[in-house]
Amino acid sequence: MNRPRSIGHLAAVGAAALALVLPLAACGANDSGDSAGGPVTLRFTWWGSDARHALTQKVIDAFEAENPNIKIKGEFGEWGGYWDKLATQTAANDSPDIIQMDEKYIAEYGGRGALLDLGKQEVNTADFDQKLLDTGKVEDKLVGLPVGAAVFAFAANPVLFKKYGEPLPNDATWSWEEFAALAKRLADKGRKDGVSGTMLATGDTEAHLWARQHGDQLFNDKGEIVIKPETLASWWHLTAELTKNGASPSAAAQQEFATVGLEETPLATNKLAIGSMFNTQLTALEKASKSGLKLLRVPGQKQSNYAGSYLKPSMYWSVSSRTKHPKEAAKFLDYLANSPKAADLLLTERGVPANNKLRTAITGKLTSTDKQAVEFLDLVAKTAAPPPPVTPVGGSAISKILPRQASEVLFGRATPEQAAEAAIKEMKTSVTK
């Protein structure tokens, strides 16, 4: 996700169907299968912004020009509906051949046999960092090839800061208290223009970060939900206070913003002074905003005993285990992962390339926002802690549970403590095998 608000989820019906059909998925494609040598059409699905769609189509065009017998049919959409659609397709034995996969779902699909073992395919992984490559393994099978590295960030709108007479914060030292006070001042000055100070996301990415800063974690390496209710409640106390005092948009507005495309978010439309995002989204957001967005490290790092920030695979390339053309699918995936031409087109759109050779090759071709994204990742990497354990099977539902329970708090229907208890109970049920 790379959406920061973490709204995507498996629908209840889709998840149930997925759980039933995935154990049979491995019975699909033969890992050594081949086509008859004639024309082949592969379906390729991904989520993202309009900018990502346009760049990806250019990569497809370049690949097809070099491989005229392989046609790529793109299927793309917004993060919010992507996983419901993929679950339904998988349950109906109609999965796309090549799938843009997220960490939240890789164990869900890979652990139930829905993804091809790329270790048995002709995909070159020699130029990948081994630790990053290992994050795509489920039960010792490489079911996801890391596309890039990303880090969660805040972003400031310098135009709004200047307009309302506030200096940019020192992101090396600012605390959550300083962040909240700054957001309130910006909102008070910007209210006449319809500008809010900030809007905190309420999904699992933010819960991971907050928990780690407070000596806790969402789940452990056994896949067990272990976060303490008081940890989760304290995060929602902050989001509720910012909403109540006007630093953030109203609860209703936040709910509406959770359904719009990246280019329509208040950070992109210059209606938010400080927003949250992944560093890899900077170019797309800046294209819409045109305000010189500046990436900031998250608050609270200096005050916490453990760095909350961590580097994560931005996403993965996966191949359906039921593809009828595994060799052709692997050939396209290898092109996405190793072709200098593909790297030149995508740059950092899907993250700072996980392929070290390609990362070096594109350095001189980066735009100013791409360079900022890379430099920011390198900066955070100096103090970043190891990433959390891979989201367990059933854990993808967490990205539905947390925003829904947070909404109960923001609308005043539950206290943070009540919502935290309810969320933890639901999460434990969702990951029970």
Side-chain angles (χ1 to χ4, degrees):
M1 108 132 215
N2 60 342
R3 290 290 293 276
R5 56 179 179 267
S6 302
I7 292 297
H9 62 276
L10 294 172
V13 175
L18 191 65
L20 289 172
V21 76
L22 283 185
L24 305 176
C27 299
N30 184 325
D31 284 0
S32 60
D34 196 1
S35 71
V40 167
T41 297
L42 300 174
R43 293 163 56 208
F44 173 29
T45 187
W46 69 88
W47 73 84
S49 64
D50 291 342
R52 177 176 295 171
H53 302 335
L55 290 174
T56 304
Q57 187 57 54
K58 289 182 179 180
V59 173
I60 291 172
D61 293 342
F63 174 80
E64 289 180 340
E66 295 181 21
N67 300 272
N69 285 337
I70 304 176
K71 301 299 180 185
I72 307 297
K73 179 182 178 182
E75 301 177 5
F76 54 86
E78 280 298 323
W79 170 271
Y82 182 86
W83 300 103
D84 289 341
K85 181 178 180 180
L86 184 60
T88 301
Q89 290 173 323
T90 303
N93 193 19
D94 189 36
S95 296
D97 300 275
I98 301 100
I99 303 167
Q100 184 175 294
M101 181 58 59
D102 186 77
E103 186 278 332
K104 296 181 184 67
Y105 297 87
I106 196 161
E108 190 87 45
Y109 284 81
R112 287 173 168 158
L115 304 178
L116 201 64
D117 182 359
L118 301 175
K120 297 181 179 180
Q121 304 301 314
E122 295 182 7
V123 179
N124 182 9
T125 60
D127 297 316
F128 284 72
D129 176 85
Q130 189 60 48
K131 290 182 179 178
L132 194 61
L133 193 64
D134 287 345
T135 67
K137 291 183 177 180
V138 175
E139 298 176 357
D140 293 326
K141 295 180 180 180
L142 183 65
V143 296
L145 188 64
V147 178
V151 64
F152 191 68
F154 276 32
N157 185 316
V159 172
L160 296 179
F161 269 75
K162 183 177 180 180
K163 182 176 182 178
Y164 303 130
E166 291 288 346
L168 291 173
N170 181 348
D171 68 333
T173 61
W174 65 335
S175 65
W176 284 104
E177 290 76 19
E178 290 170 328
F179 156 77
L182 174 60
K184 179 67 165 65
R185 294 196 302 272
L186 287 162
D188 288 345
K189 296 173 182 179
R191 191 162 290 113
K192 63 182 184 299
D193 302 318
V195 171
S196 297
T198 193
M199 187 174 72
L200 294 179
T202 54
D204 55 316
T205 298
E206 301 73 34
H208 271 303
L209 191 146
W210 182 264
R212 287 155 65 92
Q213 283 191 348
H214 291 77
D216 205 348
Q217 57 182 338
L218 191 53
F219 43 76
N220 61 22
D221 55 9
K222 296 180 181 179
E224 300 166 332
I225 300 296
V226 295
I227 190 170
K228 300 179 181 65
E230 55 266 31
T231 303
L232 191 53
S234 65
W235 172 242
W236 288 341
H237 269 291
L238 175 60
T239 58
E241 179 58 28
L242 291 171
T243 303
K244 183 179 179 180
N245 69 19
S248 295
S250 68
Q254 291 185 52
Q255 190 172 64
E256 180 181 350
F257 288 138
T259 65
V260 302
L262 190 68
E263 293 87 353
E264 298 172 290
T265 58
L267 187 61
T269 58
N270 299 308
K271 293 299 182 181
L272 201 66
I274 307 172
S276 61
M277 58 186 291
F278 279 95
N279 68 314
T280 55
Q281 296 174 306
L282 180 63
T283 296
L285 282 166
E286 177 56 27
K287 184 178 181 180
S289 171
K290 296 180 175 62
S291 59
L293 294 174
K294 179 176 175 54
L295 293 173
L296 303 172
R297 285 167 283 190
V298 297
Q301 296 289 84
K302 180 76 173 180
Q303 294 75 28
S304 63
N305 293 324
Y306 189 80
S309 293
Y310 58 93
L311 273 60
K312 69 180 290 290
S314 54
M315 59 197 69
Y316 300 90
W317 298 128
S318 295
V319 175
S320 169
S321 63
R322 294 194 174 191
T323 180
K324 296 179 181 178
H325 308 290
K327 286 192 174 182
E328 289 82 0
K331 186 171 187 177
F332 179 57
L333 190 150
D334 187 76
Y335 186 86
L336 290 169
N338 294 299
S339 166
K341 186 174 292 186
D344 285 348
L345 289 168
L346 294 174
L347 296 177
T348 66
E349 167 54 36
R350 282 184 167 88
V352 179
N355 182 314
N356 293 323
K357 183 180 290 186
L358 293 185
R359 175 177 175 172
T360 300
I362 68 171
T363 299
K365 304 168 186 176
L366 298 178
T367 65
S368 59
T369 49
D370 289 327
K371 288 178 180 176
Q372 187 185 163
V374 173
E375 291 169 357
F376 183 81
L377 184 139
D378 290 340
L379 175 65
V380 173
K382 293 177 181 178
T383 57
V390 173
T391 301
V393 173
S396 57
I398 293 171
S399 57
K400 174 185 178 182
I401 294 166
L402 291 175
R404 176 163 44 74
Q405 291 295 344
S407 180
E408 292 296 296
V409 175
L410 296 182
F411 279 99
R413 295 190 288 259
T415 66
E417 289 75 16
Q418 290 170 336
E421 292 283 359
I424 291 171
K425 182 179 180 179
E426 278 194 80
M427 289 190 291
K428 286 183 176 180
T429 300
S430 76
V431 301
T432 299
K433 298 180 181 179

